[in-house]
């Protein structure tokens, strides 16, 4: 299931999709977070890795591309370009094996092998040795928290961090919730042979076609997630009422970006400390 959800984030089918959701999130971060090189991005609900390694790849590739030497840029200036943006994977239940594989693929991805509680982040994680500001990521995760826990997480964010991003692939609308999840189930049926080979998991075929637990659970879980997904206004109201110090210094923006017509959208909320 986690591999299927990761595939939903990272797969890009030409013609059908404008881009993968992960590459769209990378573009949102690069365009919405000023002085992005001054931040370290920490995924507080990384699960088995999710989209964060793919977001890192797209984000740093775009930053390198935008800073390439041109006729108006000296080689000295190019050589002194800021280093790549770092991403750190954490979770209450660490997936060290999966994270190790992601870290081996990119020097800009690291992880915390011990349990990390997003409502009480460790001081040594929040205080980066290089002096970078902390930006918290919640990819397809914030809807998992009930209201009390969500407020605690937002309070801890306000008290200890400089930015956050909430990215969801569903919402409470008919199209963005019910229909999107149904299409996800259909996509699972079509793509199961390919992913069974890619993942080296032939049992995925049995649990897709003979005993269709995988598509059923993914669709049902998606419906429940849609019902639990907060609107941007609800997130901001929760932020303003979380009791964090200096909450009035935070600016919140939000939107919904299409990655696949007619219903595939990334719904986002980004908060930045002024």
């Amino acid at each position: 299931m986690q591999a299927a959800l990761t595939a939903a984030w990272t797969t890009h089918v030409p013609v059908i999709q404008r881009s993968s959701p992960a590459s769209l999130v990378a573009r949102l971060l690069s365009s919405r977070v000023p002085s992005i090189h001054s931040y370290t991005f920490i995924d507080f609900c990384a699960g088995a890795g999710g989209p964060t390694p793919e977001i890192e790849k797209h984000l740093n590739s775009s930053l390198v591309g935008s800073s390439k030497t041109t006729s108006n840029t000296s080689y000295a200036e190019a050589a002194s370009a800021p280093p790549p943006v770092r991403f750190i994977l954490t979770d209450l239940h660490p997936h060290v094996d999966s994270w190790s594989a992601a870290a081996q693929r990119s020097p800009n991805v690291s992880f915390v092998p011990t349990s990390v509680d997003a409502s009480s982040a460790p001081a040594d994680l929040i205080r980066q040795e290089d002096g970078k500001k902390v930006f918290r990521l919640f990819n397809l995760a914030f809807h998992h928290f009930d209201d009390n826990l969500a407020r605690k997480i937002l309070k801890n964010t306000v008290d200890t961090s400089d930015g956050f991003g909430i990215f969801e692939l569903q919402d409470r609308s008919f199209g963005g919730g019910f229909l999107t999840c149904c299409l996800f189930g259909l996509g699972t049926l079509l793509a199961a042979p390919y992913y069974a080979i890619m993942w080296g998991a032939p049992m995925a075929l049995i649990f897709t076609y003979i005993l269709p637990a995988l598509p059923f659970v993914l669709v049902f879980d998606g419906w429940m997630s849609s019902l639990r997904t907060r609107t941007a206004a609800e997130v901001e109201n929760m932020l303003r009422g979380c009791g964090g110090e200096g909450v009035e210094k935070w600016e919140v923006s939000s939107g919904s970006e299409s990655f696949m017509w007619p219903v595939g959208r990334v719904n986002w909320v980004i908060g930045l400390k002024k």
Side-chain angles (χ1 to χ4, degrees):
M1 282 188 62
Q2 288 179 326
L5 291 172
T6 298
W9 275 102
T10 60
T11 299
H12 175 212
V13 181
V15 180
I16 296 177
Q17 291 177 277
R18 298 179 181 179
S19 66
S20 70
S23 65
L24 195 158
V25 170
R27 290 199 299 272
L28 282 169
L29 291 175
S30 63
S31 63
R32 296 279 174 174
V33 181
S35 304
I36 196 167
H37 286 285
S38 65
Y39 289 88
T40 293
F41 290 81
I42 304 178
D43 187 340
F44 275 85
C45 301
T52 296
E54 194 77 4
I55 293 171
E56 180 275 322
K57 181 179 74 173
H58 287 290
L59 178 63
N60 279 316
S61 295
S62 68
L63 294 177
V64 168
S66 65
S67 62
K68 282 184 177 178
T69 300
T70 66
S71 58
N72 297 320
T73 305
S74 70
Y75 284 100
E77 289 172 329
S80 62
V85 178
R86 293 176 55 241
F87 286 75
I88 302 175
L89 305 175
T90 76
D91 201 286
L92 193 63
H93 306 287
H95 290 250
V96 175
D97 291 343
S98 298
W99 296 353
S100 296
Q104 290 173 0
R105 291 191 295 270
S106 172
N108 306 314
V109 175
S110 59
F111 61 90
V112 178
T114 55
S115 179
V116 172
D117 183 351
S119 66
S120 182
D124 59 344
L125 175 62
I126 296 302
R127 288 196 299 268
Q128 294 292 298
E129 293 181 357
D130 54 8
K132 294 289 184 71
K133 294 183 284 187
V134 169
F135 189 103
R136 299 191 181 202
L137 289 174
F138 299 97
N139 300 318
L140 201 62
F142 201 75
H143 65 271
H144 290 160
F145 313 132
D146 62 32
D147 286 350
N148 287 334
L149 180 55
R151 288 191 187 92
K152 290 179 182 178
I153 290 173
L154 288 173
K155 182 182 185 303
N156 191 248
T157 300
V158 168
D159 290 343
T160 65
S161 304
D162 304 280
F164 69 86
I166 297 171
F167 302 98
E168 303 279 9
L169 299 182
Q170 75 289 319
D171 57 42
R172 296 204 301 264
S173 69
F174 176 80
F178 180 82
L179 185 56
T180 295
C181 297
C182 289
L183 291 177
F184 186 28
L186 177 61
T188 303
L189 291 170
L190 296 175
Y194 172 76
Y195 288 119
I197 296 172
M198 291 293 293
W199 300 333
M203 290 295 287
L205 297 175
I206 294 175
F207 287 105
T208 298
Y209 299 119
I210 297 176
L211 180 65
L214 184 60
F216 173 79
V217 173
L218 285 170
V219 171
F220 184 79
D221 176 74
W223 288 343
M224 297 303 102
S225 296
S226 298
L227 294 174
R228 292 174 61 91
T229 301
R230 299 173 178 88
T231 65
E234 289 168 342
V235 171
E236 183 166 6
N237 287 338
M238 191 169 284
L239 174 73
R240 302 303 177 193
C242 72
E245 295 183 10
V247 70
E248 70 281 354
K249 297 180 180 179
W250 283 70
E251 292 182 337
V252 177
S253 59
S254 62
S256 181
E257 307 289 335
S258 173
F259 65 87
M260 182 177 68
W261 187 87
V263 294
R265 306 188 71 84
V266 173
N267 302 297
W268 59 273
V269 180
I270 291 178
L272 292 169
K273 183 183 290 185
K274 293 188 240 181

